[in-house]
Amino acid sequence: MKKNLTSGWSRRRFLQAGSGLLATSALHFGYSKTALAKAIGQALPQFTALRPAQKGILTAAHWGAFEAIIENERMVGVQPVSDDPAPNELIAMAPWQVYAPNRIKTPMVRKSWLENGPGSHAERRGRDEWVAVSWDKAIALVSTEIKRLQQDYGPSAIYAGSYGWKSTGMLHNCRALLQRLMNLCGGFLSYSGDYSTGAAQVIMSHVVGSMEVYEQQTSWPNVLEHSELVILWGCNPQTTLKNSWNVPDHVGLEGFAQLAEKGVRTIAIDPIRQPGAKALNAEWIAPHAYTDSAMMLGIAHTLLSEQLHDEAFLKRYTVGFDRFRASLLGEDDGVVKNAQWASAICGVEAETIRQLARDMAQKRTMIMAGWGIQRQHHGEQPHWLLVTLAAMLGQIGLPGGGFGFSYHYSSGGSPTARGGIISGISAGEAPQNAPAPIPVARIADCLANPGKTIDFNGRQITYPDVKMVYVAGGNPFHHHQDTNNLLQAWRRPETIVVQEPYWTATATHADIVLPCTTSYERNDLDMGGDYSRLYVFPMRQCVAPQHQARNDFDIFRAIAARLGVEQAFTEGRDEMLWLKSMYDNMKGQARTAGVALPPFDMFWQSNSYIRFPVPEANKQWVRFADFRADPLLNPLGTPSGKIEIFSQRIAAMQYPDCPGLPGWLPPQEWHGSPLAERWPLSLNTAHPALRLHSQLDNTPLRAKHAVANREEILINPQDAARRGIRSGDLVRAFNSRGQILVGALVTEDIRPGVVRISEGAWYDPADPTQPGTLCRNGNVNCLTVDIGTSMLAQGNCGHMAQLEIEKYQGDAPPNMAHAMPSGVV
Ligand SMILES: Nc1nc2c(c(=O)[nH]1)N[C@H]1C(S)=C(S)[C@@H](COP(=O)(O)OP(=O)(O)OC[C@H]3O[C@@H](n4cnc5c(=O)[nH]c(N)nc54)[C@H](O)[C@@H]3O)O[C@H]1N2
Ligand SMILES: Nc1nc2c(c(=O)[nH]1)N[C@H]1C(S)=C(S)[C@@H](COP(=O)(O)OP(=O)(O)OC[C@H]3O[C@@H](n4cnc5c(=O)[nH]c(N)nc54)[C@H](O)[C@@H]3O)O[C@H]1N2
Ligand SMILES: [Mo]
């Protein structure tokens, strides 16, 4: 038996459940027809909540739940589960994930680090030689280093926040496991916030009293029945709903399809006409990049001047409208923020802005906003202004009206089911001396500037001196802004450990690399439907661990054993015992909710998933309806209990880049800034349709979107013609921070002055000794700027950068992004 299998017990169990099922197809195929099923069905009528697999082994990913088809112990294909209303083609990449040529095959240590100790020749990260070591040796090196740093410097020297999208699964949650280990070993430096909604989640907690961006939305059936006008503001649901944090239920995609079928009027406000907007037959309004706040003010001014705003609503449910009115009228700074004024900034005709205001006021309007507009300098403003606009329209809390900030994400609005919830393995308690977390997107700043103090949401944070970075389940060389700046900051820590299935750029820039399994090589459980909690999916092991890869759980357990905390780490449970305890806990909740479920063993062996019932009332749930019904009884979590159009709390912070009232604050880089003369084009870094960030960039799906074997760039014909660029050309995109090779797609679907390069292409430096060198694969973060959105939220500004492009001259360099590091097999 292979050493890296989790345990004899779980392996046996897998064989029993897996090949046993394949052999005796009665249980596997015709589950409901078996005597066992019949017996259970009689005992527990709700057992029909179970959905048996048809052909393969049930598992799941961020892209959907599916059955893995196994032949001769190899995964050869997939089939979506029958309940999925909009199966995602990304699931077809599962076998490629398992058998990718660039899997990390064995633990590796960077030569200089191994020979000369921590910190040695840190500038060679990314180009040093690699030395293969045994698992025992790798575990010993990592454990010794954790112990040394805890003893010499304490927990603030170890950054183990490890931001990232990892894989689904509630047990093999590498980030929680890493943090669990570190909490047991003295603590670590963590982070707050995320890259997704860095600005919006902080500003919303001041404006509506919750993060809002991750709240349940007015349910889809209610929207379909009542909304007459849907505004997609920087919102690209057909792309971003493909994947979810938990396993997607894809109810949002179904919702949008029905919206189109019903012919509900939809307007997409986006510099790019997304394919999804076309599918919806959406009208297209294309403001210039990063100018939405000005456009929103123009709409607000029109509502005010044409008396289309709801005074009664504003009076009863909001504070600060008087000040906002004064600002719209220019009483504060002498600038009247009317549609004409907005038009000069955002490039949308004044009459279009005015008409939009009228249409929104006359119809039952749902404003659905995405998050790209807040991943920008002063990104707090657009969402604050959208809430303000919705308040002026007075439809918040009414069926089909108001605003929703997660219809595009993990199917917000998918009605909540009645059942139980799987809670995952916990990160445990941080010790009392654990340092204060840093805002997640300030990591490079923190690594480079120990001792520096920054403002953050009314507090001050001083960066500690980080000696070790431990990454499991994230890819900072993709996700962080200004890659070349990160590259320099990344040289400061003495030790960098990366636990990964693949040789990503983050892995190649580590000192110690630990190969971990993909989710298809282990047993796990996850919920389906982030908002609906509709399903429980088993994620059953499909194939044996590849090469020498080990499960994250086992890697951390081995480190824990060396550091004397194994018992606390495992609580005496192995993989299957953990899954059973999670299931039993969920089953208890379901029972309380009136849904009976079979015992764990039966569930697991049945190769079925659970679908919970959805109560009728939840299908008509309306966000903020309770607040609207009685704002005194159901106040918001803001200081006033109302929607804060003016925030005294923010005003008191006296931040010049985020005052107490929302408005138009020009970003550091935009088409109207002086640097636009040198860098005339505005960058849009939307999320990729056929990837999850950087995940799946190393699969054949890439052939569907890459142009000239590079990440594609969308260019308007006017901008292309001026530079002699045609579709299919290799293009160099560059600014003062970096340069990347991309492939041109010239299209009318993007407004002039804006280019789009999706986030997520793996970083592939032409000359790894030189920061600033050409990235041959097109990692867009080589061009973005690493500043906080403001002193309030310190969110990232990945969606804002000015640049220039040119047709690439010279021979096309090879693209080595998905190759093994040289010398490594
Ligand atoms: N310019 C720009 N930058 C952006 C964005 C943008 O819009 N523009 N978007 C930002 C956003 S919203 C986000 S959320 C981030 C996303 O940034 P990340 O979440 O860091 O991106 P992923 O590519 O999902 O990286 C996950 C990594 O985990 C690894 N992994 C998967 N499963 C496992 C596992 O079981 N164990 C271990 N140890 N590793 C595993 C994968 O191979 C992959 O390398 O990017 C941000 N960056
Ligand atoms: N297929 C797929 N789905 C995903 C992901 C993925 O990587 N791939 N990532 C997941 C994650 S982690 C997240 S956080 C969400 C991200 O969800 P979002 O943040 O909403 O997605 P983005 O693509 O960054 O931006 C959405 C839209 O905003 C537009 N936009 C950008 N800048 C501006 C602007 O200045 N003005 C206007 N009006 N519009 C603008 C973009 O063109 C895009 O159409 O998606 C999730 N879903
Ligand atoms: Mo995200």
Side-chain angles (χ1 to χ4, degrees):
M1 170 145 32
K2 272 196 183 166
K3 207 167 149 220
N4 48 9
L5 288 165
T6 51
S7 73
W9 191 79
S10 61
R11 171 68 178 162
R12 269 198 310 280
R13 174 145 231 125
F14 165 61
L15 287 176
Q16 226 176 46
S19 37
L21 286 177
L22 293 173
T24 57
S25 58
L27 235 178
H28 191 224
F29 292 108
Y31 179 74
S32 57
K33 292 182 203 113
T34 64
L36 173 66
K38 229 187 263 168
I40 299 163
Q42 279 159 6
L44 306 167
Q46 295 87 339
F47 210 52
T48 52
L50 282 189
R51 309 285 219 255
Q54 300 297 312
K55 284 188 179 156
I57 297 181
L58 270 174
T59 184
H62 291 300
W63 17 101
F66 59 91
E67 299 178 27
I69 314 297
I70 310 294
E71 281 174 14
N72 298 325
E73 298 182 12
R74 278 182 74 84
M75 198 198 291
V76 295
V78 301
Q79 167 174 305
V81 296
S82 49
D83 275 309
D84 193 334
N88 180 355
E89 64 185 301
L90 273 64
I91 61 172
M93 290 302 112
W96 295 91
Q97 289 180 269
V98 175
Y99 306 117
N102 66 345
R103 289 279 307 250
I104 302 169
K105 303 195 173 61
T106 177
M108 289 268 179
V109 184
R110 189 170 67 82
K111 192 161 182 249
S112 308
W113 193 100
L114 188 64
E115 290 178 352
N116 308 315
S120 174
H121 285 293
E123 80 289 351
R124 286 191 197 156
R125 285 187 184 126
R127 62 190 165 94
D128 212 342
E129 283 175 51
W130 288 100
V131 182
V133 297
S134 68
W135 266 113
D136 280 353
K137 170 99 179 177
I139 297 292
L141 290 173
V142 174
S143 318
T144 308
E145 189 59 356
I146 293 172
K147 200 167 180 181
R148 175 182 80 91
L149 294 170
Q150 286 286 3
Q151 266 166 10
D152 292 359
Y153 305 101
S156 65
I158 301 178
Y159 182 70
S162 193
Y163 181 84
W165 266 62
K166 59 182 185 66
S167 292
T168 52
M170 291 289 187
L171 170 60
H172 295 285
N173 173 349
C174 49
R175 290 166 53 199
L177 294 168
L178 168 63
Q179 298 178 1
R180 182 178 176 89
L181 170 77
M182 291 295 180
N183 276 332
L184 292 170
C185 301
F188 65 98
L189 177 65
S190 190
Y191 66 79
S192 62
D194 57 38
Y195 280 80
S196 312
T197 62
Q201 63 173 255
V202 175
I203 190 68
M204 280 303 110
S205 59
H206 292 286
V207 176
V208 291
S210 83
M211 288 208 279
E212 190 55 33
V213 284
Y214 303 123
E215 298 291 344
Q216 179 59 295
Q217 308 295 293
T218 296
S219 70
W220 265 109
N222 186 277
V223 167
L224 286 165
E225 196 177 328
H226 299 282
S227 302
E228 297 167 320
L229 173 61
V230 169
I231 308 286
L232 295 173
W233 204 308
C235 185
N236 185 19
Q238 272 75 1
T239 288
T240 55
L241 286 175
K242 282 175 187 280
N243 304 316
S244 295
W245 178 248
N246 298 128
V247 182
D249 61 24
H250 288 146
V251 165
L253 285 170
E254 200 186 17
F256 279 106
Q258 288 176 12
L259 203 64
E261 207 170 293
K262 196 180 165 198
V264 175
R265 186 174 173 210
T266 310
I267 302 176
I269 303 174
D270 200 306
I272 299 162
R273 179 161 48 184
Q274 306 286 356
K278 285 189 201 167
L280 279 169
N281 267 326
E283 295 157 43
W284 183 34
I285 298 178
H288 214 302
Y290 336 137
T291 61
D292 300 82
S293 301
M295 184 169 159
M296 290 168 194
L297 289 169
I299 297 173
H301 185 278
T302 306
L303 292 176
L304 181 69
S305 61
E306 300 189 8
Q307 294 180 354
L308 296 169
H309 63 300
D310 187 336
E311 285 277 6
F313 183 92
L314 290 164
K315 193 152 182 271
R316 184 148 190 235
Y317 300 101
T318 74
V319 294
F321 184 69
D322 285 350
R323 288 180 198 242
F324 186 68
R325 181 205 319 259
S327 168
L328 286 176
L329 298 175
E331 288 166 16
D332 52 350
D333 58 1
V335 180
V336 180
K337 282 100 185 163
N338 58 18
Q340 200 63 44
W341 165 88
S343 171
I345 294 169
C346 71
V348 175
E349 296 276 330
E351 190 46 32
T352 305
I353 296 174
R354 283 192 283 262
Q355 192 54 45
L356 184 59
R358 290 171 200 137
D359 291 347
M360 288 166 84
Q362 276 152 16
K363 299 280 181 216
R364 182 58 58 88
T365 301
M366 178 61 86
I367 304 171
M368 300 182 175
W371 302 335
I373 49 174
Q374 54 86 57
R375 237 174 268 120
Q376 301 176 358
H377 197 204
H378 304 137
E380 293 82 0
Q381 306 304 313
H383 280 77
W384 196 353
L385 283 166
L386 282 180
V387 174
T388 305
L389 272 183
M392 290 178 77
L393 296 172
Q395 300 179 14
I396 295 170
L398 291 183
F403 62 88
F405 294 161
S406 70
Y407 282 106
H408 69 293
Y409 176 76
S410 295
S411 290
S414 175
T416 309
R418 177 170 57 86
I421 294 173
I422 302 263
S423 29
I425 196 164
S426 90
E429 294 270 309
Q432 279 197 330
N433 63 337
I438 57 164
V440 67
R442 300 320 304 137
I443 180 60
D445 200 33
C446 168
L447 295 180
N449 303 293
K452 178 177 165 183
T453 297
I454 59 162
D455 286 283
F456 173 48
N457 200 13
R459 285 173 287 141
Q460 294 207 310
I461 307 271
T462 299
Y463 298 143
D465 194 352
V466 173
K467 306 282 185 191
M468 180 191 221
V469 175
Y470 201 131
V471 177
N475 189 359
F477 272 77
H478 131 62
H479 70 224
H480 193 67
Q481 287 60 56
D482 197 348
T483 311
N484 291 302
N485 181 56
L486 175 70
L487 199 57
Q488 310 260 28
W490 201 251
R491 291 178 176 170
R492 303 258 333 195
E494 294 174 3
T495 299
I496 293 174
V497 182
V498 173
Q499 207 159 296
E500 252 285 340
Y502 311 106
W503 279 107
T504 62
T506 302
T508 61
H509 286 82
D511 299 313
I512 302 175
V513 173
L514 304 176
C516 69
T517 52
T518 66
S519 54
Y520 315 122
E521 293 153 59
R522 57 202 187 205
N523 292 301
D524 218 323
L525 284 169
D526 211 327
M527 298 298 296
D530 294 45
Y531 293 84
S532 62
R533 303 300 186 187
L534 189 54
Y535 302 102
V536 176
F537 289 112
M539 293 172 59
R540 292 157 49 103
Q541 187 178 0
C542 305
V543 293
Q546 302 293 296
H547 316 290
Q548 286 195 44
R550 287 188 181 181
N551 298 340
D552 294 288
F553 182 86
D554 298 300
I555 299 171
F556 292 126
R557 178 171 63 183
I559 299 171
R562 277 234 160 210
L563 294 171
V565 293
E566 183 179 9
Q567 175 60 29
F569 183 81
T570 64
E571 295 177 34
R573 295 184 195 131
D574 69 0
E575 185 182 64
M576 290 315 276
L577 284 176
W578 270 106
L579 296 182
K580 179 174 174 351
S581 77
M582 289 177 186
Y583 180 91
D584 287 347
N585 188 300
M586 176 276 297
K587 181 170 165 256
Q589 296 172 40
R591 190 193 309 117
T592 310
V595 181
L597 292 174
F600 175 73
D601 284 357
M602 210 178 271
F603 162 73
W604 193 260
Q605 290 190 25
S606 73
N607 196 31
S608 305
Y609 59 94
I610 295 163
R611 182 182 162 118
F612 288 120
V614 180
E616 284 307 310
N618 292 1
K619 295 182 185 164
Q620 289 300 329
W621 190 80
V622 173
R623 178 137 192 84
F624 295 116
D626 53 349
F627 168 64
R628 187 176 183 112
D630 194 335
L632 290 178
L633 213 57
N634 307 305
L636 302 181
T638 53
S640 62
K642 299 184 177 186
I643 297 170
E644 303 222 341
I645 296 174
F646 172 80
S647 165
Q648 183 55 48
R649 199 180 263 173
I650 295 177
M653 296 177 195
Q654 298 192 310
Y655 294 154
D657 52 5
C658 190
L661 202 62
W664 159 246
L665 302 169
Q668 177 172 300
E669 302 193 7
W670 67 297
H671 76 92
S673 56
L675 53 75
E677 274 179 38
R678 175 75 188 88
W679 310 112
L681 298 170
S682 300
L683 181 61
N684 176 297
T685 67
H687 285 232
L690 297 180
R691 266 196 313 256
L692 174 68
H693 314 296
S694 73
Q695 296 191 56
L696 308 182
D697 197 43
N698 58 332
T699 67
L701 260 190
R702 196 170 163 274
K704 283 202 171 179
H705 57 84
V707 177
N709 193 24
R710 322 287 153 161
E711 189 64 22
E712 82 183 348
I713 179 173
L714 303 191
I715 314 170
N716 180 274
Q718 291 176 29
D719 295 319
R722 208 167 289 148
R723 295 166 177 85
I725 295 170
R726 286 197 231 149
S727 280
D729 282 349
L730 266 186
V731 168
R732 191 174 77 101
F734 59 103
N735 60 19
S736 59
R737 290 176 289 270
Q739 46 173 330
I740 65 177
L741 258 194
V742 282
L745 183 70
V746 179
T747 168
E748 297 277 2
D749 287 338
I750 186 162
R751 65 157 288 142
V754 180
V755 292
R756 188 194 79 182
I757 306 168
S758 283
E759 55 115 353
W762 292 20
Y763 173 59
D764 177 34
D767 176 358
T769 67
Q770 294 298 321
T773 190
L774 186 71
C775 169
R776 297 173 294 193
N777 188 41
N779 163 31
V780 76
N781 274 321
C782 289
L783 306 173
T784 55
V785 55
D786 184 9
I787 55 169
T789 51
S790 80
M791 294 151 93
L792 185 90
Q794 295 287 3
N796 77 82
C797 299
H799 253 297
M800 176 207 68
Q802 292 294 118
L803 77 160
E804 181 53 290
I805 58 173
E806 65 182 18
K807 191 170 164 168
Y808 183 71
Q809 310 292 345
D811 297 334
N815 184 344
M816 305 299 281
H818 312 111
M820 304 287 278
S822 69
V824 174
V825 285

